[in-house]
């Protein structure tokens, strides 16, 4: 026989499912908006229009403090032209996953007849919403770590080529072709800008802005100063930068080693707790005999 809690849970679940179906029907006409997205970066993109329908229903304006921060992050990843589009995609993704998981809470409760399971799934819906909202920042962090990893090699190559008498644009182009990671791709983007009429100074400045990392911004500023003062000054600045960045690279390696050591403590602690449980449980079992 169904109790009060059962009626409350099933009633709530029915409302959520009906609301999800309403958003599905309302947002279906916007499905094509999400077709250009990559499946590996945006899983289940085919139903993002459910979340987008809710945003449209409440006339969301994308003007909160968090939205401004997220728009800047998306500008780094996708360019200013597409930042607003991906801002809508991220919000739609968050709502779609959160609401879909929440819609599953009541059916799972019905299968397991366990209120704790309903609460866990409902909490997981909130976690899913939060998680997909943090993916952009995490992507930028990984991107920044990758760029810093290759940064010292880039500066060393540039310093070597300019000291050999090569002009900056040729050296920049040759170094850009020596790799395929993010920093090399950003260098290639700078070459494209130069080919399209942007001055070398502005292209290097844009490079530093896109990379957002303080060390690379400083490097770009130093390069611009050297370009303005002359090739001799540029070579000297690049050589000095190369020495400083290799020192930074050593610090990064040391920090990575410290992080790896701290991560090893977690499985050790788990094993220690497991051993304690294996020892303590038989002791208490014998005491109860």
């Amino acid at each position: 026989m169904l109790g009060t809690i059962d009626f409350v849970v099933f009633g709530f679940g029915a409302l959520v499912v009906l609301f999800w179906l309403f958003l599905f029907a309302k947002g279906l006409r916007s499905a094509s908006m999400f077709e250009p997205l990559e499946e590996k970066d945006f899983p289940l993109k085919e139903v993002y229009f459910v979340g987008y329908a809710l945003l449209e229903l409440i006339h969301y304006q994308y003007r909160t403090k968090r939205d401004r921060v997220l728009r800047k992050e998306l500008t780094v990843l996708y360019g200013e032209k597409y930042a607003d589009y991906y801002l809508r995609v991220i919000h739609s993704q968050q709502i779609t996953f959160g609401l879909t998981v929440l819609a599953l809470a009541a059916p799972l409760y019905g299968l397991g007849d366990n209120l704790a399971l309903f609460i866990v799934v409902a909490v997981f819906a909130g976690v899913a919403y939060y998680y997909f909202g943090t993916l952009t920042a995490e992507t930028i962090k990984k991107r920044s770590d990758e760029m810093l990893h290759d940064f010292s090699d880039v500066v060393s190559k540039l310093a070597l080529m300019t000291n050999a008498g090569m002009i900056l644009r040729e050296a920049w182009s040759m170094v850009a072709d020596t790799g395929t990671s993010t920093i090399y791709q950003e260098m290639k983007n700078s070459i494209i800008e130069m080919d399209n009429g942007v001055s070398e100074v502005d292209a290097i400045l844009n490079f530093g802005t896109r990379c957002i990392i303080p060390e690379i911004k400083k490097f770009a500023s130093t390069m611009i100063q050297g370009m303005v003062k002359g090739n001799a000054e540029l070579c000297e600045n690049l050589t000095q930068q190369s020495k400083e960045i290799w020192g930074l690279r050593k610090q990064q390696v040391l920090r990575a080693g410290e992080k790896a050591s701290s991560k090893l403590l977690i499985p050790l602690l788990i094993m220690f707790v497991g051993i304690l449980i294996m020892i303590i449980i038989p002791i208490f079992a014998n005491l109860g005999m």
Side-chain angles (χ1 to χ4, degrees), residues 2 5 10 41 49 77 83 88-89 101-102 113 125 127 149 173 184 190 200 208 219 235-236 238 241 244 252:
L2 294 178
I5 294 177
F10 288 134
D41 296 325
F49 60 83
L77 293 178
R88 284 161 174 75
V89 168
V101 173
L102 188 60
D113 195 22
V127 172
H149 181 269
S173 181
Y184 292 104
S190 297
E200 292 182 8
F219 161 73
C235 293
E236 184 179 339
L238 282 172
Q241 282 271 306
E244 293 177 3
Q252 285 180 309

Side-chain angles (χ1 to χ4, degrees), residues 89-250:
V89 168
I90 296 300
H91 279 298
S92 301
Q93 182 188 49
Q94 285 183 270
I95 293 171
T96 299
F97 273 97
L99 199 58
T100 302
V101 173
L102 188 60
L104 295 173
L108 289 174
Y109 169 79
L111 290 173
D113 195 22
N114 190 331
L115 184 60
L117 179 61
F118 174 82
I119 295 172
V120 168
V121 176
V123 170
F124 186 70
V127 172
Y129 178 87
Y130 173 79
Y131 170 75
F132 285 102
T134 61
L135 280 182
T136 304
E138 186 63 27
T139 301
I140 288 181
K141 184 179 181 304
K142 290 179 180 178
R143 178 181 184 271
S144 298
D145 290 342
E146 180 187 327
M147 294 181 80
L148 279 176
H149 181 269
D150 297 328
F151 185 39
S152 54
D153 291 332
V154 167
V155 179
S156 297
K157 292 172 185 176
L158 282 173
L160 181 64
M161 291 181 180
T162 52
N163 279 311
M166 189 176 293
I167 63 173
L168 176 63
R169 181 163 179 170
E170 290 181 358
W172 188 274
S173 181
M174 288 187 67
V175 173
D177 290 334
T178 60
T180 57
S181 62
T182 305
I183 192 168
Y184 292 104
Q185 187 58 52
E186 289 297 346
M187 292 178 73
K188 291 174 184 175
N189 291 338
S190 297
I191 294 295
I192 293 172
E193 287 184 343
M194 294 177 196
D195 291 339
N196 290 331
V198 178
S199 68
E200 292 182 8
V201 170
D202 288 338
I204 300 299
L205 181 63
N206 293 339
F207 167 79
T209 302
R210 289 194 304 270
C211 292
I212 73 170
I213 303 170
E215 291 83 0
I216 298 183
K217 282 188 173 182
K218 179 184 175 183
F219 161 73
S221 299
T222 303
M223 284 192 65
I224 291 171
Q225 291 174 10
M227 291 163 65
V228 171
K229 294 180 180 179
N231 198 57
E233 184 78 18
L234 175 62
C235 293
E236 184 179 339
N237 288 343
L238 282 172
T239 302
Q240 182 61 33
Q241 282 271 306
S242 180
K243 293 177 182 177
E244 293 177 3
I245 291 163
W246 275 108
L248 175 66
R249 177 74 177 272
K250 291 177 183 177

Side-chain angles (χ1 to χ4, degrees), residues 17-31:
V17 171
L18 288 173
F19 187 54
W20 192 96
L21 292 173
F22 166 74
L23 293 176
F24 183 92
K26 182 178 177 61
L28 195 58
R29 64 178 181 269
S30 303

Side-chain angles (χ1 to χ4, degrees), residues 54-61:
L54 178 57
L55 293 168
E56 290 291 290
L57 184 67
I58 63 175
H59 303 290
Y60 189 71
Q61 298 298 312

